[in-house]
Amino acid sequence: MGKYQGVIFDLDGVICFTDKYHYQAWKQVADDIGVYFDEQINNRLRGVSRMESLDIILEKSSRAYTAEEKEELARRKNDLYRSLLSNMSPADLTQEVRQTLEALRAAGLALAIGSSSKNTRYILERLGLKDFFDAVSDGTNIQRSKPDPQVFTMAAEFLGLPASQCLVVEDAEAGIRAASAGGFDSAGLGEASAFALTTYPMKRFGDLQAICL
Ligand code: BG6
Ligand code: MG
């Protein structure tokens, strides 16, 4: 085995491509209330909790929203998002992700999820990964979302491993910052491959085999 005994995966944008559904659902809500929203603003929502995402979207609003109104907008977004998720199936897990996860597992690495999403368990179920991971740390067990390291620190705790023995896999700046703040090395996909704080820039998910094995 290499340097790491555990790997902690972000979910949205790493294991699966739910980002487009987050975008569609928020876009619908923003359009309904007449607030400008585009893909660039959407990029700032990666890794950030639902309510913090809404606050970022409402920066473009001409009026303030009460806490109750915000709850209602977040609920509306989540309902739209869940109905999009309901179309997902194990076919939405790419061969590359599936084979890489299996290779890491076969090599004896402990595997966990570290996601800000409160829909994590539902998504894992849709993908046929309900019982695959050794631990799941998500939006339901944290008080502070990325870039705070809490979600990863708790994932490592659930695995019974110190941060120094776990690698975090991320696609978002907030996630790479969270990993670094928690003392974790990180592997970055997409945009996250270009950040100075990323330990291992990756071109594709399968690169994890060369990093970990
Ligand atoms: C993260 C996404 O995984 O989960 C964010 O990158 C999202 O964009 C966050 O806001 C919270 O998701 P949920 O499913 O709890 O609304
Ligand atoms: Mg992500």
Side-chain angles (χ1 to χ4, degrees), residues 26-45:
W26 279 129
K27 177 73 180 147
Q28 175 78 57
V29 171
D31 285 353
D32 286 351
I33 58 173
V35 169
Y36 179 79
F37 181 60
D38 63 16
E39 303 253 9
Q40 225 174 326
I41 301 171
N42 190 60
N43 277 342
R44 292 173 56 204
L45 312 184

Side-chain angles (χ1 to χ4, degrees), residues 30 49 58 70 79 109 113 124 145 157 167 177 188 203:
S49 75
L58 293 179
K70 287 205 251 181
D79 288 348
L109 283 147
I113 292 287
L124 291 176
S145 91
E157 254 171 53
L167 178 72
R177 286 191 186 288
K203 286 204 166 56

Side-chain angles (χ1 to χ4, degrees), residues 23-113:
Y23 175 72
Q24 282 174 38
W26 279 129
K27 177 73 180 147
Q28 175 78 57
V29 171
D31 285 353
D32 286 351
I33 58 173
V35 169
Y36 179 79
F37 181 60
D38 63 16
E39 303 253 9
Q40 225 174 326
I41 301 171
N42 190 60
N43 277 342
R44 292 173 56 204
L45 312 184
R46 288 181 207 278
V48 174
S49 75
R50 194 179 309 162
M51 292 312 286
E52 287 167 317
S53 296
L54 178 59
D55 283 335
I56 291 171
I57 290 167
L58 293 179
E59 284 171 9
K60 291 266 183 248
S61 168
S62 49
R63 74 155 173 103
Y65 283 78
T66 65
E68 290 73 29
E69 285 174 320
K70 287 205 251 181
E71 286 295 336
E72 173 1 64
L73 292 175
R75 194 191 51 71
R76 218 194 294 172
K77 183 265 176 176
N78 197 49
D79 288 348
L80 289 164
Y81 180 57
R82 297 269 299 201
S83 69
L84 292 166
L85 292 179
S86 70
N87 297 316
M88 286 178 83
S89 76
D92 287 296
L93 192 67
T94 66
Q95 278 298 332
E96 183 178 6
V97 169
R98 186 187 300 280
Q99 284 167 4
T100 305
L101 289 174
E102 278 164 6
L104 298 177
R105 158 66 41 82
L109 283 147
L111 307 179
I113 292 287

Side-chain angles (χ1 to χ4, degrees), residues 126-152:
R126 300 299 318 163
L127 293 172
L129 291 174
K130 186 166 156 279
D131 298 315
F132 181 82
F133 291 93
D134 300 296
V136 174
S137 173
D138 66 16
T140 65
N141 61 262
I142 55 171
Q143 287 78 45
R144 301 175 299 281
S145 91
K146 303 168 189 176
D148 188 284
Q150 189 181 27
V151 75
F152 296 138

Side-chain angles (χ1 to χ4, degrees), residues 4-9 101 104 109-114 133-135 155 159 161 165-169 187 208 212:
Y4 306 105
Q5 304 217 7
V7 186
I8 304 171
F9 298 89
L101 289 174
L104 298 177
L109 283 147
L111 307 179
I113 292 287
F133 291 93
D134 300 296
L159 292 178
L161 294 171
Q165 288 177 18
C166 296
L167 178 72
V168 164
V169 187
L208 280 174
C212 295

